Amino acid sequence: MIYLKTAEEIEIMKGACDLVSRTLGEVARWVAPGVTTLKLDTIAREFILDNGGKPSCLGYQGFPGTLCVEVNETVVHGFPSAYVLQEGDIVGLDCVVELNGYHGDSCYTFAVGEISEATARLLKVTKESLYKGIEAAKAGKRIGDISNAVQTFCERQGYSVVREMCGHGIGKSMHEDPEVPNYGRCGIGPLLKPGMVIAIEPMINLGSKNIVIGGDGWQCRTKDRKPSAHYEHTIAIHENGPEILTTFRYVEEALGITEA
Ligand code: MF3
Ligand code: CO
């Protein structure tokens, strides 16, 4: 069941989307060698609560964090921990916030200090693939057009697309229909309609596409232990094109990155 949102609901969702974006911007200022991922999680949780929001992931089916923490080979759903970030690591921070009854979802993968050229390129391509997916998210097209845009862009550059995890509809629930895979064929899947709000979130591996889910049922890593990158925006589909409701502006300001 796909819930189409009214223009008023989309306006309300901009509040949650702005708060999750600002939360990642706040956390961005702390990402550095020597910092534990638990510290990042605490900063995120306090920032969300101070701003009247609720951390959606915390306690969701028993998930122990405000942030999903994705260090190096961790693909998704890593737990905040006493792990101390090291120079050369990458860390994806995936966050969902509830505000005024609606959720906003975003993820950004950070470089910790200086990282290898190969890993930097993986981050760049994965982020670009998110925008390729968004460009394809036009009313009248289908979910498969988004999926195909992400997949072809990443595979052409030698990377592989995680199959088991998808983007999703979002609204009053953190996960709604439809699923938004990062691989697939053009012209298949649900029709994109004005009022749909979806989270697009490519999870892209440097090595093979295979993943392993940990014994805790959550933490997911690449099988070959090579790095994986993850970026996510919540977007709304309008008659005249997609609108990105979350933003990396706060993160990239904090990081001193000026180009969009
Ligand atoms: N941001 C994750 C997603 O994109 C949220 C799920 S994390 C969970 O689907 F811990 F809450 F499950
Ligand atoms: Co998501």
Side-chain angles (χ1 to χ4, degrees), residues 6 45 82 129 134 137-138 176-177 180 187 195 197 201 209 212 218 224 235 242 249 254:
T6 64
R45 186 180 64 249
S129 80
I134 293 168
K138 297 196 171 98
E176 297 183 358
D177 289 340
V180 185
V197 180
E201 49 180 318
K209 67 182 188 306
V212 175
W218 281 108
D224 60 16
I235 73 160
R249 185 175 71 238

Side-chain angles (χ1 to χ4, degrees), residues 4-233:
L4 298 179
K5 278 77 180 175
T6 64
E8 290 73 25
E9 287 180 289
I10 291 171
E11 284 307 307
I12 297 170
M13 287 192 75
K14 287 180 184 175
C17 289
D18 186 64
L19 181 53
V20 75
S21 303
R22 286 190 293 123
T23 303
L24 291 179
E26 184 65 23
V27 172
R29 308 196 293 132
W30 294 83
V31 174
V35 175
T36 68
T37 62
L38 212 43
K39 169 82 176 168
L40 301 178
D41 193 68
T42 301
I43 289 159
R45 186 180 64 249
E46 289 177 351
F47 186 82
I48 292 164
L49 294 172
D50 285 348
N51 285 280
K54 266 184 20 190
S56 308
C57 293
L58 186 60
Y60 174 83
Q61 295 180 6
F63 189 80
T66 290
L67 299 175
C68 296
V69 176
E70 306 158 355
V71 178
N72 299 332
E73 70 268 26
T74 301
V75 177
V76 287
H77 301 162
F79 297 169
S81 76
Y83 177 77
V84 177
L85 292 174
Q86 308 289 310
E87 179 94 20
D89 283 347
I90 56 170
V91 60
L93 300 174
D94 186 356
C95 190
V96 191
V97 166
E98 185 181 348
L99 185 68
N100 301 319
Y102 291 84
H103 298 262
D105 190 354
S106 187
C107 177
Y108 195 92
T109 302
F110 297 84
V112 180
E114 286 293 313
I115 61 172
S116 74
E117 230 173 85
T119 307
R121 194 173 154 267
L122 171 71
L123 298 191
K124 180 170 185 283
V125 169
T126 303
K127 185 164 63 156
E128 282 172 9
S129 80
L130 169 59
Y131 291 99
K132 298 290 176 196
I134 293 168
E135 272 171 42
K138 297 196 171 98
K141 301 240 257 173
R142 291 185 181 269
I143 290 289
D145 294 291
I146 299 173
S147 308
N148 188 264
V150 172
Q151 180 181 20
T152 52
F153 185 75
C154 293
E155 287 184 350
R156 200 174 287 151
Q157 299 180 73
Y159 302 121
S160 58
V161 176
V162 171
R163 300 299 201 264
E164 291 83 347
M165 310 287 169
C166 294
H168 49 91
I170 181 167
K172 288 182 179 168
S173 300
M174 167 165 69
H175 293 142
E176 297 183 358
D177 289 340
E179 280 198 339
V180 185
N182 296 302
Y183 68 98
R185 298 203 319 274
C186 289
I188 65 160
L191 188 62
L192 300 175
K193 292 182 182 163
M196 280 175 66
V197 180
I198 57 175
I200 303 180
E201 49 180 318
M203 289 149 262
I204 305 300
N205 296 349
L206 186 68
S208 91
K209 67 182 188 306
N210 301 318
I211 64 164
V212 175
I213 299 177
D216 52 39
W218 281 108
Q219 304 192 85
C220 169
R221 63 164 173 86
T222 57
K223 187 153 188 254
D224 60 16
R225 298 191 186 268
K226 290 182 181 170
S228 183
H230 184 194
Y231 292 85
E232 177 172 20
H233 275 314

